[in-house]
Amino acid sequence: MILRKRRVPLLLAGLALIGAASAGYLLVGRNEPQALAARQAEIAAKSRQVMPFDLERTTHRFAKSATGGLQTVTSDDPSDAQQVKLIREHLAKEATGFSKGDYGDPASIHGGEMPGLLELEQGHDRINIGYADTPAGAQIAYTTTDPSLIKALHAWFDAQVTDHGSHAEHG
């Protein structure tokens, strides 16, 4: 009899806990778009401190491949010589740093816990990094035969696209 009397309050407490957890999950889910928008605004503000070109007049593209990927930044107006020049200078500098394991600029924008970042820093000597001008900007090609680094590059690309919002896309 005592056991049955304890079961009911325990059952009710368990149901209340499940209900509270479900309500919390729904509320968090509703705040996700707001949290993402706030993160993207923060990333845009930090990006302006690192990237010399105008984010509103350029587009980042991150194209994954079987051996790594291609990062391209282009001026939305190919005839905007100043934006093209700034893109090329910045990406050339980044490619040189990345080839030495220096991912400090992305870390300062996205945070040190950015997906793939630590692996790219530690495995930089196993990634071929190639810079090239494009008609409206520049690109960095990342190639490797190391599956863990390909996975890290793809995670890093995904994080870039998510964090930069309307300023970046998969390509």
Side-chain angles (χ1 to χ4, degrees):
M1 188 75 161
I2 293 175
L3 189 55
R4 284 187 185 182
K5 287 183 180 180
R6 293 179 97 190
R7 280 188 191 167
V8 172
L10 286 174
L11 181 59
L12 291 174
L15 289 172
L17 183 61
I18 290 170
S22 296
Y25 177 78
L26 289 173
L27 289 174
V28 168
R30 286 186 186 154
N31 286 332
E32 273 184 32
Q34 292 172 340
L36 180 58
R39 167 107 177 131
Q40 289 172 344
E42 174 188 352
I43 295 301
K46 289 180 179 180
S47 295
R48 288 180 184 94
Q49 302 300 313
V50 173
M51 297 181 213
F53 47 85
D54 187 340
L55 290 174
E56 300 302 326
R57 294 165 49 199
T58 58
T59 301
H60 287 71
R61 284 182 191 83
F62 295 88
K64 299 176 192 175
S65 72
T67 58
L70 185 66
Q71 174 184 0
T72 306
V73 180
T74 56
S75 173
D76 295 338
D77 176 2
S79 67
D80 186 341
Q82 181 63 20
Q83 289 303 307
V84 172
K85 177 181 178 279
L86 293 170
I87 290 167
R88 290 175 176 167
E89 289 172 354
H90 178 70
L91 260 61
K93 175 182 162 273
E94 292 299 279
T96 298
F98 295 166
S99 67
K100 297 175 184 175
D102 180 1
Y103 285 78
D105 282 348
S108 71
I109 295 170
H110 302 273
E113 300 300 316
M114 182 182 194
L117 189 63
L118 180 63
E119 294 87 344
L120 297 177
E121 288 174 335
Q122 293 176 346
H124 72 276
D125 57 339
R126 297 187 314 277
I127 304 170
N128 294 318
I129 296 177
Y131 168 87
D133 288 348
T134 65
Q139 64 186 18
I140 302 174
Y142 305 83
T143 56
T144 182
T145 58
D146 185 325
S148 67
L149 291 173
I150 294 168
K151 182 178 177 180
L153 278 163
H154 291 177
W156 189 60
F157 278 16
D158 288 341
Q160 297 264 10
V161 170
T162 299
D163 277 356
H164 284 292
S166 64
H167 299 128
E169 60 192 28
H170 288 287

